[in-house]
Amino acid sequence: MASLVMAGDSASLQISAHWWPDHDETDALLARAAEELDAAPSDLIVAIGGVEVHRVTLTAREDGGHETVLAHSPSSGAPPYTTILTAPVEPTLVPLVKDALSGSAGKLFVRFDATLETERVLRELDVGRALSAAPASETHTFAVRDPAQTPELVPTPPEAQLPLRVTAPVGDPPVHRLELSGTDAAGRPWTVAVTAQDTAPPRLPAGDSLRLTVQGDDGSSYARSGTPDASGWLVDDHALGVVTVTCEASGRDQGATVALEVWYQPAGDGLPDHRGLTLTAPAWSASWRVASGRDDLDGELVVDVSETDGGGASLPKRTVRSTTPHIRI
């Protein structure tokens, strides 16, 4: 979505973008992989790779090729890596921005700077080209007769509260229990315990920050901090420092089995994890969540692999180690 708000001689641009393949891209990747592997596309599994988005940049490119950086922002930190970029627009660039929002290519770009597994990558989205194929309702230009006025700041009353949204599956491994704490506008401390999504209160006291204490099944814990966004408090896996791990072992014979013992050891204050898994056809894949206490895996996965082939013969045991959340066996 893209919005341009004009107020007198001033203008402000807001663009929402994400880094995630659409159905056509996914189908094309599956078709190419199936051809290279001499397999049917239905036999292949698409899983999330180890992605870390470092920065998202919004730039305007004039006809002569000169680029102006309008805004920087981090991404959401989890698929589909959504970013909202807001930037003031100089009067000289307003016509360029209007052209881009009308579907003109080569004028406005969103760039994702990221690491995919161990490779640094840069993905560029042409805003005009993307919007030309989007429904008209996703592009908005607003004109305001008078220049916008800076609102007078009004102190937040002590009883003020903000909506709370808990989207992380609290109560399921690895988050056994969650404590939310902070101080209200009057400086009074408060603490709320959440043991499942439906036990979370609909609102929390307003404030500048929130302390999130994540507790595991064994009583160990670590703390994270969060800040409110435009819609209030949001508690998702990213806010809790919880990362999804995916393990896949495609390419085996139909009757083969791959038994795994997986240990996760965080590098910092996260929660250790151990589990046993068995991968079989047709999925050859399993995903679960670990609590690293950080925005990435921040630790090591150690996988002991016991495998039998399609004929039932045992293969030599081996150990696989990974510092990314996507493991290929």
Side-chain angles (χ1 to χ4, degrees), residues 249-329:
S250 57
R252 267 67 175 180
D253 294 336
Q254 183 71 20
T257 60
V258 180
L260 308 175
E261 290 289 330
V262 186
W263 288 265
Y264 169 64
Q265 184 58 49
D269 298 329
L271 307 179
D273 184 85
H274 170 238
R275 65 188 61 231
L277 305 166
T278 300
L279 306 184
T280 58
W284 292 116
S285 179
S287 296
W288 66 97
R289 301 155 67 239
V290 298
S292 69
R294 299 290 188 271
D295 294 340
D296 54 15
L297 186 64
D298 193 52
E300 185 179 42
L301 293 159
V302 180
V303 186
D304 285 348
V305 183
S306 300
E307 182 174 356
T308 58
D309 62 20
S314 298
L315 303 181
K317 293 185 177 181
R318 63 190 187 281
T319 299
V320 177
R321 297 176 180 269
S322 176
T323 56
T324 69
H326 193 176
I327 313 167
R328 294 183 176 88
I329 303 298

